[in-house]
Amino acid sequence: MREALRRDQRVDADALVARLDAIRRFLDAVDGEVPDTRLVGAHTLVERAGTRLSLSRDHTVVALAGATGSGKSSLFNSLAGMELSPVGVRRPTTGVAHACVWGPLDGGNRLLDWVGVLPRHRFVRESALDGDDESALHGLILLDLPDFDSVQRSHRLEVDRLLGLVDLVVWVVDPQKYADRVIHNSYLREFHRHREVTVVVLNQADRLPPAELPRVLADLRRLLDVDGLDGVPLLATTAVEPDGMTGLREALERAVSDRQAALRRLSGDADTVAAALGELVAVEAPGHVPDAATVRALDRALAESAGVPAVAAAVEGAYRHRAGGATGWPLVRGWRKLRPDPLHRLHLPGPTTDPQRPAEPVLAATSVPDPTAAQQSALGLAIRAVGDRSGEKLPAPWPAAVTAAARSRLADLPDALDGAVAGTDLGMDRRPFWWRLVGALQWLVTLAAVAGLGWLVLGYALRALGLPALDYPRVGEAPLPTVLLLGGLLAGLLVAAVTRPVIRWAARRARQRAEQRLTEAVSRVGAEYVLIPVRALLDRYALARCAWQDATR
Ligand SMILES: Nc1nc2c(ncn2[C@@H]2O[C@H](COP(=O)(O)OP(=O)(O)OP(=O)(O)O)[C@@H](O)[C@H]2O)c(=O)[nH]1
Ligand SMILES: [Mg+2]
């Protein structure tokens, strides 16, 4: 974590602008993922700092803040050398902020418009009678604030608003109330990151016996140390005596000539904001998530849900169906074709056996059975696991955001899966050459059998009509037509018997190939619809962390 600034350390304006820019990048990166309530401080700072830096940097806005009756207005008037802000006996006296500007009013007015001091409560400390007396304070805009412990709620709100805007705060306490809980717990402690733009004065020092003053100052210093304000200037002042504020005046002169208070104030604010944001990006962004096993489980669940096993089984069935049709015994092929093709039943891109049949459009809905309730819940769990595994090491609220990202496109998944299945080349649009070869062979032996049968029938017919018998050529002892008929039938059966296991083996291969292609297609859908949204969110986390690191530099 960034060390608090030392008083003598200068804030580089460009470095501050870079830090503010980093906070802006952080806000962009976490937008929509982190509740706005946790980002209010950062948004306020970015907005406020942008405006403050664009307004006069030649002016230093200093507020006198403190409890009622501590003497803020008295100090204000004494420093201004005029009765500008009424001092009263009835408490509280000052209800709205008064401002006094040392030097030209131009830039100061714009600054006071932004700070919100009404024009009728603005005064200029510029008098010909002063000569150069006041020149050391040129650029000072001194504000007399209402009391912060007020019975008037509006006073407290006004003080809180102004304390967020000013460059330097002079806390005015008096000997009676310097140890009040309100000032320490509600205010001074909150300013511990603004030590370098904080001054504490113990006013009404004249009311203490001289011997008491060092003791009270030491006690107050101890309380300030407890508040985390060790090292802040602590001065004793007396507003009612002309030289009772020399130390305070010198401190203000230094602040004005330094022209650092605005930058230091914003730098302190940036420290506060960065410290609060740090909890949101406390660990390094995870690298390789989710793990391979979780992704495999997701792919499996997606495949089940997309009906990959059913389609792969249909591919095997279709292969056997089509190969049987192409290579089976020609006389029963037609009967075989009456049975439906398993892939057609799923409305998947059909075979090329029928060239008239137009190819199905890739995104056509298939008739793959819808996932069962069990498959759906398994997919839901697998997606949740991706989110959980990816975000488990991150600080809140990121784990929930990562899980939500994993589920963000859940509703689109069924159509995407169906489209992926429909668009996968199942390798079923080509007829293997060997089918044709075997088919032709089947035709050949069938023709031989038919020819043999015809020849035999012709012989019987001639004999029945008493015509001269045909003299069949003989193969060994057997007449050729009988050999052709029986040989053809036997050969047909034999070819079918030999081909069947080959078809079964090839169908299994076709199934495996289709299953692999389908799994790849489905896994691409998983990447696009589940893993990429998760990755995108983790990238935003990484950006936010990187921006936070820049903001703490
Ligand atoms: N003796 C003495 N009296 C002081 C001193 N400073 C202020 N007073 C008196 O304390 C009373 C309150 O002073 P203010 O200046 O009105 O105090 P304030 O802090 O502006 O009070 P609110 O406007 O109510 O918040 C007045 O009667 C002042 O005269 C001081 O240094 N010494
Ligand atoms: Mg006052």
Side-chain angles (χ1 to χ4, degrees):
M1 187 21 60
R2 195 183 139 82
E3 289 287 308
L5 278 176
R6 292 196 319 273
R7 289 197 87 78
D8 55 352
Q9 227 174 333
R10 295 189 71 80
V11 174
D12 177 52
D14 291 338
L16 175 64
V17 168
R19 290 183 69 202
L20 294 168
D21 193 52
I23 293 175
R24 202 171 290 121
R25 279 189 282 125
F26 181 99
L27 290 172
D28 286 345
V30 306
D31 186 37
E33 306 305 339
V34 171
D36 286 343
T37 46
R38 299 189 68 175
L39 303 173
V40 172
H43 277 294
T44 309
L45 170 64
V46 164
E47 203 263 330
R48 178 194 297 164
T51 317
R52 177 64 189 92
L53 292 176
S54 71
L55 291 168
S56 171
R57 290 221 216 141
D58 296 332
H59 287 88
T60 303
V61 186
V62 177
L64 295 167
T68 184
S70 57
K72 302 179 291 298
S73 301
S74 304
L75 283 172
F76 179 81
N77 291 337
S78 291
L79 284 163
M82 293 180 265
E83 288 294 309
L84 302 178
S85 183
V87 170
V89 182
R90 258 188 60 217
R91 304 263 70 88
T93 309
T94 312
V96 287
H98 288 60
C100 184
V101 182
W102 273 256
L105 201 56
D106 305 350
N109 258 337
R110 276 199 300 281
L111 207 45
L112 284 171
D113 286 343
W114 175 62
V115 167
V117 175
L118 296 175
R120 68 170 180 275
H121 295 134
R122 298 177 193 172
F123 307 97
V124 190
R125 184 65 180 86
E126 191 77 10
S127 161
L129 297 176
D130 291 334
D132 284 339
D133 286 0
E134 299 294 312
S135 63
L137 286 178
H138 268 209
L140 171 67
I141 298 180
L142 189 64
L143 302 185
D144 176 24
L145 302 195
D147 54 321
F148 58 53
D149 58 346
S150 192
V151 286
Q152 303 280 355
R153 193 174 132 78
S154 63
H155 290 196
R156 284 203 303 276
L157 293 176
E158 177 70 346
V159 170
D160 289 347
R161 189 183 70 76
L162 288 164
L163 286 178
L165 300 176
V166 300
D167 301 331
L168 188 142
V169 183
V170 176
W171 299 94
V172 182
V173 297
D174 61 61
Q176 281 80 46
K177 293 207 277 181
Y178 72 88
D180 251 23
R181 254 184 339 115
V182 179
I183 183 170
H184 291 279
N185 291 358
S186 305
Y187 287 92
L188 288 172
R189 218 161 270 181
E190 293 291 310
F191 267 71
H192 72 276
R193 283 183 210 278
H194 292 100
R195 278 192 294 245
E196 59 288 346
V197 286
T198 297
V199 173
V200 180
V201 299
L202 176 69
N203 190 38
Q204 306 184 19
D206 58 305
R207 289 187 193 263
L208 284 171
E212 276 288 282
L213 183 61
R215 201 188 55 74
V216 173
L217 282 174
D219 194 33
L220 179 51
R221 170 67 75 193
R222 184 185 57 77
L223 292 172
L224 292 174
D225 288 352
V226 173
D227 293 333
L229 289 171
D230 42 299
V232 303
L234 171 58
L235 312 160
T237 54
T238 303
V240 292
E241 287 169 15
D243 57 352
M245 300 167 308
T246 319
L248 175 59
R249 199 185 157 89
E250 282 167 6
L252 294 177
E253 285 173 4
R254 271 196 304 277
V256 168
S257 69
D258 230 13
R259 296 175 45 184
Q260 275 280 298
L263 301 180
R264 283 184 174 144
R265 161 75 211 240
L266 293 174
S267 177
D269 284 343
D271 289 347
T272 308
V273 162
L277 297 183
E279 294 171 13
L280 296 169
V281 285
V283 300
E284 273 306 326
H288 300 288
V289 289
D291 54 298
T294 307
V295 176
R296 274 200 302 277
L298 172 69
D299 287 348
R300 264 199 309 278
L302 284 167
E304 289 286 337
S305 169
V308 169
V311 176
V315 165
E316 183 173 356
Y319 190 99
R320 286 162 72 162
H321 179 81
R322 293 173 200 180
T327 65
W329 207 36
L331 298 186
V332 293
R333 274 188 209 178
W335 164 73
R336 205 182 254 279
K337 278 187 182 159
L338 289 180
R339 279 190 289 165
D341 182 303
L343 271 182
H344 290 178
R345 254 191 293 175
L346 298 181
H347 287 127
L348 280 165
T352 52
T353 42
D354 180 0
Q356 300 319 101
R357 195 166 179 277
E360 310 237 345
V362 164
L363 286 176
T366 68
S367 298
V368 177
D370 285 338
T372 62
Q375 284 168 341
Q376 272 173 337
S377 81
L379 179 59
L381 286 176
I383 291 174
R384 173 167 274 281
V386 168
D388 291 352
R389 289 289 110 71
S390 306
E392 64 191 351
K393 300 222 166 64
L394 299 180
W398 293 96
V402 176
T403 304
R407 297 167 53 84
S408 59
R409 303 193 66 187
L410 197 58
D412 302 331
L413 257 183
D415 283 350
L417 289 174
D418 206 40
V421 169
T424 300
D425 173 13
L426 298 173
M428 291 296 285
D429 52 356
R430 283 174 308 276
R431 302 186 67 189
F433 181 67
W434 70 269
W435 289 7
R436 272 183 243 168
L437 215 63
V438 175
L441 187 63
Q442 283 286 29
W443 273 115
L444 204 69
V445 297
T446 305
L447 282 178
V450 170
L453 180 67
W455 205 349
L456 285 175
V457 169
L458 184 66
Y460 280 119
L462 290 177
R463 214 173 314 148
L465 294 172
L467 296 170
L470 288 176
D471 192 13
Y472 296 127
R474 291 187 170 268
V475 179
E477 288 299 300
L480 181 60
T482 315
V483 171
L484 281 175
L485 175 60
L486 294 179
L489 289 176
L490 267 178
L493 286 175
L494 199 68
V495 169
V498 170
T499 313
R500 193 166 301 130
V502 178
I503 290 177
R504 269 210 296 274
W505 173 82
R508 267 201 306 279
R509 288 261 328 223
R511 174 195 189 132
Q512 284 162 359
R513 197 175 48 225
E515 197 157 20
Q516 192 186 346
R517 288 181 185 176
L518 286 165
T519 307
E520 281 165 11
V522 156
S523 149
R524 277 195 295 275
V525 171
E528 189 182 336
Y529 285 73
V530 181
L531 300 179
I532 287 179
V534 165
R535 198 65 254 173
L537 194 75
L538 293 176
D539 286 349
R540 288 177 63 189
Y541 176 86
L543 274 178
R545 181 164 162 89
C546 187
W548 173 75
Q549 283 168 333
D550 291 346
T552 51
R553 282 212 179 101

